Amino acid sequence: MEVEIISTKFIKPSSPTPNHLQNYKLGFFDQTTDETHLPLVLFYPPTNNINFSAHEEQLEQSLSRILTHVYPISGRFTEDNSISCKDQGVKFIKAKVNSKLNEFLEKAHKDVNLSLLCWPQDSWNVDASNLYAMPIVIIQITEFECGGLALSLSLVHIAMDGYSIFTVINEWSKVCRLEIPVEKIDFMSFNLADVFPTRDLSKLLLPRVPPLDRVESKLVAKRLYINEDSISRLRKEVGGDLCFKPSRVEMIMALLWRALIRASEKKHEYLRRSLMNIPINLRTRLISLPQVEKSFGNLGVDAPIKFIPGENKMDLHEFVTLIHDTVKETIITCDKTSPEDIVFAVSNIYNESFLAQDWGGSDEVDRYVSSSLCKFPIQEADFGWGKPCLMHFGSRHGQVCWLYDAECGNGICVQVDLKEDNMHLFECDNDIKDFFQF
């Protein structure tokens, strides 16, 4: 399978960005995110009545109209914590591949790493030395021989979080499919820097420590699927002793985390401490700040779930409770009246976990991320050729579990990114083999 680049261009807003909007300031939550590109790929099956070549102009024009509203992603970073919004454009790549999509999907469902072939190739070479010189968003459309498509999009995380980019993709698909005019596009606000301006992080946060940086060893991905019947069995195994009804996501995260801890125990021959961070979108959690509910940018906090051998038991319901209580406590801690208090609350959470020498800075602690994309509108991204039939997330820079609603509409999929030597131990865990399908 070979991907051939056909053309490269820059798509700019359909209307020039006004002078008073040409300097978009970043905020505190943008400062605290990872300096990386985050790619995602959506695969679309061929349909009898859709010829992509005939709809290519409509796709580009709809993107141009979206950029008039979401103007920062068409700009470029400057050196003063801002984005120069002078309509430099989103990089738009058209490619083709010498394979039929159905043949590719048959292989990709067994080896999701094949999806990397459809990533925007520029995103592979992004690091701290060139991150700020790159386009903020790179889009690549890859057409298969049969007419099927892969839409891949890679974005600089400092500019926006998952909520922002999934909202943009979903709205872009609507504008394309329904031919919505630019004057009716208005779905996000751009006020986060006014509410949470940038800070001198050296006065708020401990220095970053090496384990917070990218994982250097090779990472591989596996795609797991748990159906509704297995989720019902899982609920029975968790038991009825809990004082709350756990969500499907809480139970699945608990199952995955326990399997990861067991795999680490087999590898190291002793039970180690483990730190799982769960990203939380704060937009609807900050009761005192209703104006940020639909804000563009980064507005989230990572809940630090800590497992301590001897203090925490290995029973599944214990993991469910630990996840549930810590996420709830994190939300309560951050729900302050003033933005200043929220900033200090987030800083304290990070200083006591991910930035602490005895946790995030310790080689004796295993670190993972578990991110739920369930209920995000990504499944509805129909540009006029149907909904995606396979999705792929992440940049392979950390050990991550991505949870998302299954494309079939029944159950939950999990994309697990792990170090290669950890993956074999993880997939041999009895719980993983019992509850999940590969």
Side-chain angles (χ1 to χ4, degrees):
M1 178 175 169
E2 295 181 358
V3 176
E4 178 186 351
I5 303 299
I6 303 300
S7 64
T8 298
K9 63 177 71 173
F10 288 88
I11 306 295
K12 300 183 179 183
S14 59
S15 300
T17 301
N19 290 338
H20 70 282
L21 297 179
Q22 289 185 1
N23 185 42
Y24 173 81
K25 294 185 180 298
L26 300 176
F28 167 76
F29 287 93
D30 301 315
Q31 289 180 286
T32 59
T33 58
D34 293 331
E35 294 183 338
T36 183
H37 250 262
L38 286 181
L40 64 96
V41 189
L42 307 176
F43 292 91
Y44 292 87
T47 56
N48 294 331
N49 60 340
I50 293 296
N51 182 319
F52 172 68
S53 298
H55 290 263
E56 182 179 353
E57 184 177 355
Q58 184 178 344
L59 185 69
E60 293 182 15
Q61 289 179 353
S62 60
L63 175 59
S64 183
R65 296 199 296 275
I66 281 288
L67 293 178
T68 300
H69 176 55
V70 195
Y71 59 93
I73 67 176
S74 187
R76 297 293 183 271
F77 286 110
T78 66
E79 295 180 356
D80 61 348
N81 285 318
S82 65
I83 296 175
S84 172
C85 304
K86 297 184 178 180
D87 305 333
Q88 294 91 331
V90 165
K91 192 168 186 178
F92 190 88
I93 304 166
K94 183 181 177 183
K96 67 178 182 180
V97 63
N98 61 340
S99 173
K100 293 182 178 179
L101 182 61
N102 60 342
E103 296 173 352
F104 170 81
L105 291 177
E106 186 176 341
K107 298 175 182 178
H109 277 291
K110 298 176 182 177
D111 182 7
V112 74
N113 297 284
L114 292 174
S115 301
L116 304 183
L117 292 169
C118 297
W119 275 10
Q121 298 305 301
D122 289 3
S123 64
W124 283 106
N125 303 317
V126 175
D127 56 31
S129 67
N130 62 7
L131 178 70
Y132 293 96
M134 297 284 290
I136 292 173
V137 171
I138 305 171
I139 296 172
Q140 181 171 313
I141 302 291
T142 305
E143 189 170 7
F144 288 77
E145 288 180 344
C146 59
L149 296 172
L151 169 63
S152 57
L153 187 148
S154 189
L155 59 115
V156 180
H157 195 2
I158 295 171
M160 68 196 96
D161 56 15
Y163 166 85
S164 297
I165 193 56
F166 290 147
T167 301
V168 168
I169 292 174
N170 190 43
E171 293 296 328
W172 176 23
S173 71
K174 291 179 185 177
V175 170
C176 183
R177 184 179 75 253
L178 303 175
E179 299 186 9
I180 298 173
V182 66
E183 60 270 16
K184 293 187 177 181
I185 301 173
D186 183 16
F187 57 91
M188 301 195 91
S189 56
F190 301 86
N191 57 352
L192 282 184
D194 297 328
V195 182
F196 299 104
T198 53
R199 309 297 175 105
D200 182 353
L201 296 187
S202 66
K203 296 180 180 179
L204 287 171
L205 298 174
L206 295 172
R208 289 202 173 201
V209 286
L212 288 178
D213 295 335
R214 297 179 179 183
V215 177
E216 297 298 333
S217 57
K218 183 179 179 182
L219 290 168
V220 295
K222 289 283 185 180
R223 182 179 182 274
L224 313 179
Y225 168 66
I226 180 169
N227 60 32
E228 294 295 342
D229 290 339
S230 294
I231 293 174
S232 297
R233 284 198 296 117
L234 179 58
R235 189 173 295 281
K236 291 180 180 178
E237 180 160 327
V238 170
D241 296 333
L242 300 176
C243 60
F244 62 94
K245 182 181 179 180
S247 69
R248 299 189 307 166
V249 167
E250 287 173 334
M251 294 188 300
I252 294 171
M253 283 185 175
L255 193 71
L256 294 167
W257 192 23
R258 186 172 71 168
L260 289 168
I261 291 172
R262 286 172 173 170
S264 174
E265 183 181 17
K266 288 183 179 179
K267 177 180 177 180
H268 296 280
E269 298 184 345
Y270 69 96
L271 196 59
R272 288 162 55 93
R273 287 184 297 155
S274 185
L275 179 62
M276 172 79 83
N277 64 299
I278 299 178
I280 301 170
N281 177 15
L282 289 177
R283 286 171 178 81
T284 58
R285 314 281 190 176
L286 303 177
I287 308 300
S288 62
L289 298 173
Q291 69 268 35
V292 303
E293 185 174 348
K294 295 184 178 180
S295 291
F296 171 88
N298 288 282
L299 185 54
V301 63
D302 290 342
I305 324 294
K306 299 176 180 178
F307 172 82
I308 304 173
E311 182 174 321
N312 301 115
K313 298 179 181 178
M314 290 292 288
D315 299 323
L316 188 58
H317 71 270
E318 295 278 351
F319 282 92
V320 173
T321 301
L322 187 58
I323 290 172
H324 176 86
D325 290 351
T326 307
V327 168
K328 183 178 179 180
E329 179 184 344
T330 301
I331 293 170
I332 292 173
T333 299
C334 293
D335 187 17
K336 305 296 184 183
T337 303
S338 75
E340 190 76 15
D341 290 339
I342 294 170
V343 167
F344 281 120
V346 171
S347 300
N348 288 337
I349 289 171
Y350 290 171
N351 286 336
E352 294 172 2
S353 55
F354 313 118
L355 298 173
Q357 285 295 333
D358 58 339
W359 278 101
S362 174
D363 291 334
E364 295 298 311
V365 176
D366 297 314
R367 286 201 54 189
Y368 308 100
V369 177
S370 190
S371 181
S372 173
L373 309 178
C374 296
K375 298 183 180 180
F376 273 89
I378 195 65
Q379 296 279 20
E380 305 303 317
D382 179 1
F383 291 84
W385 51 74
K387 297 180 180 181
C389 60
L390 178 67
M391 295 180 283
H392 187 270
F393 307 95
S395 56
R396 299 291 203 279
H397 292 146
Q399 301 194 97
V400 185
C401 297
W402 306 88
L403 283 70
Y404 60 97
D405 297 312
E407 295 89 349
C408 63
N410 177 28
I412 290 178
C413 290
V414 183
Q415 179 187 309
V416 183
D417 300 347
L418 291 177
K419 295 178 183 178
E420 198 166 16
D421 56 343
N422 292 342
M423 183 64 80
H424 175 69
L425 295 170
F426 170 77
E427 63 187 352
C428 290
D429 184 86
N430 288 334
D431 281 346
I432 301 302
K433 292 190 293 184
D434 184 28
F435 287 96
F436 292 93
Q437 301 171 26
F438 288 83

